[in-house]
Amino acid sequence: MPAQRPRAAFEPLSPDLNVSELVDSMPNFEHVVRIHCDAIDENGLENFEKLVLLHVIVRGLPLVIEGFDKKLDSAIFSETWVRNHYSAKQEQARDLTAKKNVSLTIGHYLKNMPMLTRQWTSQNYKDPDLQRLYLKDIDCPKTWHDCLKKVIPPFLFYLNKSAEPESFEGPGAKTFRSVKARNALGKQVAKAGDLMSCLPPDMRAENLMCYIGHEGTYTPAHQEMCASLGQNLMVNASDGSMENGEITKPGSSIWFMTSSKDRKLVSEYWNSVLGHDINIEDHFAQINAWKAAPFTTYLVEQRPGDFILVPPLAAHQVWNRGTRTIKVAWNRTTVETLERAINEALPHARMVCRDEQYKNKAIVFYTLKHYSALLSGADESNAAHPRIQQLHGEFEQLFALYNQIILSESFSSTLPKEKNVEYIPFDSHITCSYCRGNIFNRFLTCTTCATGPDDAYDICMECYAMGRSCACISKLKWAEQFRWNELTEKHETWRQQLLKINPALGERFQPFREELAEMSRKSLAHVCQEELKRRPWVDITKPAPVVKEIPDELSESEQTSPPAKKRKTSRDKSKFKAPRCHICKYAEPQWKLASCSNPKCSLKYCYGSLYRAFDMLPQQILETIGWECPRCRKFCSCAACRKNPKMIPFEPTSTSLGHDTSKFADPRSVESLVDFRHSNLGWLKKAGSDEEGRLRKHQEEADVKRNRALEDNLIQVEFYDYSQLELTQPAQPAFHTNYADIPVDPALESLIPTSVDSLG
């Protein structure tokens, strides 16, 4: 493994940190916009829904709605209620210090939270050995779910299939005037607030979770899974009073948040400056790192009743303080997040083998089925109804995604027809053995590696195109989970529904066969068909030949000194006829090299060099019809081409630190085209690339995209004048000090004071 860039270390936050003073001290720190839930009563649910769309989704900024503590039953949302009902329930708490799970009961954890909190003082909070036990990702009690459903605005709630309120008593209920639209069959017509609700129940991801933490527990910087929208409500916290014979410290959570538009900038900053990958979620950034960041950081200290809305793909980290914080959190999938998930979040997750729990492609399919049924009986006289107009818009966006999905899964019409494609009825549970992503329809499977009937090696088409597979490499078989004619018939049915709504869409969405014929690149399935024929089959029962590994970081173009001259000897030239990569000069089999389509050019490039030096993934090269090499396109970066005055050497746009996928992928897995463990730091250095320049480019690109999105979403929202919006700043709690160090660790029980008086 090549040496990696130094990584920023973890540094805890002081118990005495004043968030307001911190924000005021730095020009790139801002408070999160904060409104009171009573304003929803004054302005109406419809305007609030528009505000969330404009501020959180389009602008990509976090939002806090405060005051929900007055709407919740304090007797139910309390530490006492949890202890009385769930004290004996066994859970896995995360020991953040030891990086392992600890089995304990909820009652034991709640009892010891004051002891865990008393470990920390303003003098010792940086001690790396202090115990941090975080009870996270535990199931939300059914009673809490039912209570929250009555007070949370319906379009924001978990698994909401209709944006219209049902037995809703929360903010906006008093002023809400029903505008329900119904089709000719009497069914209510409205878009879903959470598209996950359109999946069959057994396919849904359970993500309504509770988080109970004490001083010093935290969640590393991350983005919400699959570009979904995050909702997080603090329902209870210690208030500094006496509880069960223990003095408590006021509880709160400090959030460091970014905007959606800065996601590439944040990712590059994490990689190039901090030495961590934001997609892996393993680093809680220091305050100094946020201070030095080239983007705006939004801070909020969350207290009971604060409801935080997290934009899609916006990185954020959370630090808990005080004796106890209890939060309920869930994620929502919308049309906007699905597009970002399929085209951005999932490719990133695939690189680091992060499992996909939300089944995004299946959500597209089943939501279209649900919306199609609603629209099939629509009364044309209600076509102008706002709810029906919303449904029309989402139906069009979803169909565009479905069109993209099945085009990518289409076999080539020029290659021999695939025979003996295995049919496995869709149940949503087949995942890629390599990246752990959910597989919607077609995939490749290998039975040679199987140790039993239920142990087949299944690989998604995206991974196979990247060179990932089992060690057999080829002779994999095709499998599908839907009959292909069923998918194409659905395509035409839904297309006709769209044309009935808007005939002008006929120019954008053509019959499937015409769409396929007019594709300007090869489909993903087409790429896999060709690669199955090119790549050799490896008999895994025979010992593999010993091959000396030559990392492409030590390529010819990166050597600091010329190789020593050797005496000429008579050799068998037939041994040296294998083609060589133009960059690293290493001899490779033909199937491991990309060949230029220019008839006057005979150059070949290995996929590792193309990935690290030119930001090209194998799939992008293989799907390109008539691919031309970097030298023919005048941006080759090799040592020889850099001497050509007409050549403008390519400068990688982002830092890639490399990721060892062997820790996550099926043990039978191999990478045959690119070793993704290697970084591109050598190429960045050779290109003379600097962090500031790359970060500045990402910032400019983000600003352009954000401004374009705002222009494309001209939404009239009579809710708040942002220039006049008052930021609510609750008073800082008076934290108690001089507490002894009292971890839960039984070996340190001797440190526990015998009475409240002994605490001082």
Side-chain angles (χ1 to χ4, degrees):
M1 288 287 292
Q4 296 290 321
R5 175 164 296 193
R7 307 176 77 190
F10 166 70
E11 183 174 297
L13 300 189
S14 168
D16 300 329
L17 178 66
N18 186 304
V19 175
S20 294
E21 291 179 0
L22 179 62
V23 173
D24 294 340
S25 69
M26 293 301 299
N28 65 324
F29 284 3
E30 291 185 13
H31 291 288
V32 174
V33 169
R34 179 186 282 269
I35 65 175
H36 199 282
C37 64
D38 289 346
I40 303 174
D41 280 323
E42 299 170 8
N43 297 276
L45 273 176
E46 298 87 350
N47 273 333
F48 178 61
E49 186 176 348
K50 292 176 183 178
L51 172 67
V52 172
L53 176 62
L54 176 65
H55 186 83
V56 181
I57 297 179
V58 178
R59 288 180 175 165
L61 298 173
L63 179 67
V64 178
I65 305 98
E66 63 181 22
F68 277 95
D69 52 321
K70 307 301 181 184
K71 308 288 184 181
L72 300 175
D73 186 338
S74 59
I76 294 177
F77 291 93
S78 67
E79 184 266 354
T80 302
W81 187 92
V82 175
R83 203 161 18 89
N84 289 341
H85 290 79
Y86 291 92
S87 188
K89 191 172 188 291
Q90 197 82 13
E91 293 288 355
Q92 294 292 317
R94 184 65 178 174
D95 187 332
L96 299 173
T97 302
K99 299 186 183 301
K100 64 179 182 180
N101 291 334
V102 178
S103 181
L104 44 71
T105 63
I106 292 179
H108 178 72
Y109 182 70
L110 292 174
K111 176 184 176 182
N112 286 282
M113 293 188 83
M115 303 177 192
L116 286 161
T117 302
R118 282 195 296 270
Q119 296 176 102
W120 275 271
T121 68
S122 56
Q123 288 76 39
N124 75 343
Y125 70 92
K126 292 186 179 180
D127 187 337
D129 296 325
L130 295 179
Q131 193 173 27
R132 309 169 192 274
L133 292 179
Y134 196 6
L135 201 56
K136 56 190 299 186
D137 294 326
I138 62 175
D139 293 335
C140 178
K142 176 68 164 56
T143 302
W144 284 13
H145 169 276
D146 295 342
C147 291
L148 290 173
K149 188 174 183 179
K150 293 180 180 180
V151 299
I152 299 297
F155 75 96
L156 291 176
F157 195 57
Y158 177 63
L159 291 182
N160 168 42
K161 203 169 186 177
S162 170
E164 294 290 336
E166 294 179 5
S167 64
F168 173 60
E169 303 169 2
K174 295 179 182 178
T175 58
F176 180 75
R177 294 191 302 272
S178 178
V179 289
K180 291 183 179 179
R182 299 190 181 278
N183 61 19
L185 302 177
K187 291 183 179 180
Q188 181 181 336
V189 179
K191 69 183 186 69
D194 180 4
L195 301 189
M196 181 79 72
S197 64
C198 297
L199 286 177
D202 62 331
M203 296 184 187
R204 298 170 186 168
E206 300 292 333
N207 64 31
L208 182 66
M209 299 294 177
C210 288
Y211 298 78
I212 308 178
H214 60 81
E215 179 79 52
T217 56
Y218 60 89
T219 299
H222 67 287
Q223 300 166 335
E224 293 300 311
M225 182 176 288
C226 300
S228 58
L229 287 157
Q231 285 79 205
N232 188 295
L233 174 64
M234 184 174 286
V235 297
N236 175 267
S238 51
D239 60 6
S241 62
M242 187 79 71
E243 292 182 0
N244 305 312
E246 298 272 9
I247 297 175
T248 64
K249 285 186 176 183
S252 63
S253 294
I254 300 174
W255 292 61
F256 294 77
M257 311 181 76
T258 63
S259 67
S260 296
K261 81 173 181 68
D262 287 333
R263 56 189 180 273
K264 290 186 178 179
L265 182 62
V266 173
S267 177
E268 177 59 24
Y269 180 70
W270 240 249
N271 281 325
S272 64
V273 178
L274 304 186
H276 294 270
D277 190 335
I278 195 73
N279 296 297
I280 300 178
E281 300 185 17
D282 66 346
H283 180 59
F284 185 91
Q286 304 175 16
I287 289 181
N288 284 338
W290 293 101
K291 288 181 177 180
F295 47 80
T296 301
T297 298
Y298 301 90
L299 280 84
V300 61
E301 184 159 13
Q302 183 187 27
R303 293 185 173 84
D306 285 349
F307 185 33
I308 297 181
L309 304 185
V310 184
L313 293 175
H316 55 284
Q317 66 182 30
V318 187
W319 183 270
N320 298 316
R321 63 197 318 188
T323 302
R324 180 186 66 257
T325 61
I326 303 180
K327 290 166 279 191
V328 177
W330 63 95
N331 293 73
R332 287 191 305 124
T333 298
T334 68
V335 171
E336 295 84 4
T337 69
L338 275 176
E339 192 278 330
R340 296 180 187 183
I342 291 172
N343 296 321
E344 189 170 346
L346 290 182
H348 291 160
R350 187 174 299 114
M351 294 297 292
V352 299
C353 298
R354 184 183 180 188
D355 57 336
E356 179 198 352
Q357 298 179 5
Y358 291 1
K359 304 177 176 67
N360 291 273
K361 292 181 180 180
I363 291 176
V364 172
F365 179 78
Y366 282 98
T367 305
L368 278 169
K369 286 183 69 175
H370 172 60
Y371 282 5
S372 174
L374 291 178
L375 291 171
S376 62
D379 186 347
E380 295 185 7
S381 63
N382 289 333
H385 193 288
R387 289 299 184 200
I388 293 182
Q389 289 291 311
Q390 284 182 330
L391 198 64
H392 287 172
E394 292 207 352
F395 191 69
E396 179 183 338
Q397 291 174 278
L398 287 164
F399 182 77
L401 289 174
Y402 180 71
N403 189 56
Q404 173 185 331
I405 291 168
I406 65 168
L407 282 174
S408 73
E409 296 204 357
S410 300
F411 288 141
S412 169
S413 58
T414 59
L415 295 176
K417 186 176 180 180
E418 294 292 341
K419 299 179 180 179
N420 301 319
V421 177
E422 182 182 2
Y423 173 67
I424 306 169
F426 184 76
D427 65 1
S428 84
H429 298 303
I430 294 180
T431 59
C432 177
S433 297
Y434 200 109
C435 73
R436 302 190 294 174
N438 184 257
I439 298 176
F440 171 63
N441 182 35
R442 282 179 172 162
F443 62 97
L444 293 163
T445 184
C446 180
T447 56
T448 307
C449 292
T451 58
D454 299 323
D455 191 36
Y457 188 95
D458 301 326
I459 191 82
C460 68
M461 292 187 290
E462 289 88 351
C463 278
Y464 192 74
M466 290 165 62
R468 295 169 165 180
S469 67
C470 58
C472 300
I473 298 181
S474 193
K475 282 193 177 179
L476 280 75
K477 306 297 183 183
W478 282 102
E480 62 184 15
Q481 301 176 79
F482 290 90
R483 300 294 186 189
W484 188 247
N485 60 349
E486 177 188 350
L487 296 180
T488 55
E489 286 172 3
K490 292 286 187 187
H491 182 279
E492 183 59 21
T493 298
W494 295 335
R495 191 181 77 89
Q496 290 297 333
Q497 280 187 288
L498 271 179
L499 296 184
K500 186 177 180 181
I501 295 168
N502 183 3
L505 292 175
E507 297 181 6
R508 181 183 177 190
F509 301 117
Q510 301 176 19
F512 182 72
R513 289 186 179 277
E514 295 181 23
E515 290 265 11
L516 188 60
E518 294 182 6
M519 282 184 66
S520 58
R521 55 183 172 80
K522 300 174 186 176
S523 69
L524 184 58
H526 185 172
V527 168
C528 292
Q529 285 179 290
E530 291 184 332
E531 291 304 295
L532 281 169
K533 297 182 182 300
R534 293 183 69 216
R535 299 176 190 177
W537 176 66
V538 177
D539 188 348
I540 60 174
T541 63
K542 297 180 180 179
V546 178
V547 179
K548 184 178 180 181
E549 181 180 355
I550 301 181
D552 51 10
E553 290 294 330
L554 301 178
S555 64
E556 181 273 341
S557 62
E558 296 177 348
Q559 291 177 359
T560 56
S561 59
K565 293 183 179 180
K566 295 182 179 181
R567 183 178 299 173
K568 293 183 179 180
T569 58
S570 176
R571 299 185 181 187
D572 182 359
K573 294 184 179 181
S574 64
K575 295 181 181 179
F576 302 93
K577 289 184 179 180
R580 295 179 180 272
C581 170
H582 174 67
I583 296 288
C584 66
K585 309 302 182 188
Y586 188 57
E588 293 278 18
Q590 183 70 45
W591 64 274
K592 285 193 174 187
L593 298 170
S595 301
C596 183
S597 63
N598 186 342
K600 297 182 180 179
C601 177
S602 59
L603 295 186
K604 303 179 187 303
Y605 287 73
C606 73
Y607 290 98
S609 294
L610 289 170
Y611 171 64
R612 276 178 281 279
F614 304 101
D615 292 348
M616 297 181 188
L617 280 166
Q619 178 184 331
Q620 297 168 336
I621 300 164
L622 295 168
E623 70 183 7
T624 303
I625 299 173
W627 180 79
E628 288 191 338
C629 72
R631 191 176 75 169
C632 290
R633 293 160 68 184
K634 304 299 181 185
F635 59 77
C636 187
S637 303
C638 75
C641 289
R642 273 197 297 267
K643 298 175 182 178
N644 185 345
K646 295 182 179 180
M647 197 75 61
I648 303 177
F650 183 85
E651 179 181 326
T653 59
S654 300
T655 303
S656 174
L657 295 177
H659 183 62
D660 185 3
T661 58
S662 63
K663 301 174 184 178
F664 310 96
D666 187 293
R668 295 167 286 183
S669 301
V670 298
E671 290 176 327
S672 56
L673 294 184
V674 179
D675 187 344
F676 289 102
R677 295 174 299 171
H678 294 291
S679 73
N680 69 345
L681 300 181
W683 285 104
L684 290 172
K685 181 179 179 181
K686 184 161 290 294
S689 178
D690 65 290
E691 285 92 357
E692 290 186 8
R694 290 197 305 280
L695 293 171
R696 186 171 56 254
K697 290 178 182 177
H698 284 299
Q699 181 71 74
E700 293 169 353
E701 178 185 340
D703 289 338
V704 169
K705 289 185 177 180
R706 193 270 310 272
N707 293 335
R708 187 181 302 126
L710 289 173
E711 292 173 1
D712 294 342
N713 292 271
L714 297 176
I715 305 169
Q716 300 300 321
V717 183
E718 297 178 0
F719 197 90
Y720 277 98
D721 180 352
Y722 279 82
S723 62
Q724 301 298 321
L725 192 64
E726 181 179 354
L727 297 174
T728 305
Q729 297 301 325
Q732 294 292 319
F735 278 27
H736 298 280
T737 56
N738 299 322
Y739 277 40
D741 298 335
I742 309 173
V744 169
D745 190 341
L748 300 176
E749 285 289 334
S750 59
L751 296 178
I752 300 177
T754 56
S755 68
V756 176
D757 293 336
S758 65
L759 296 177

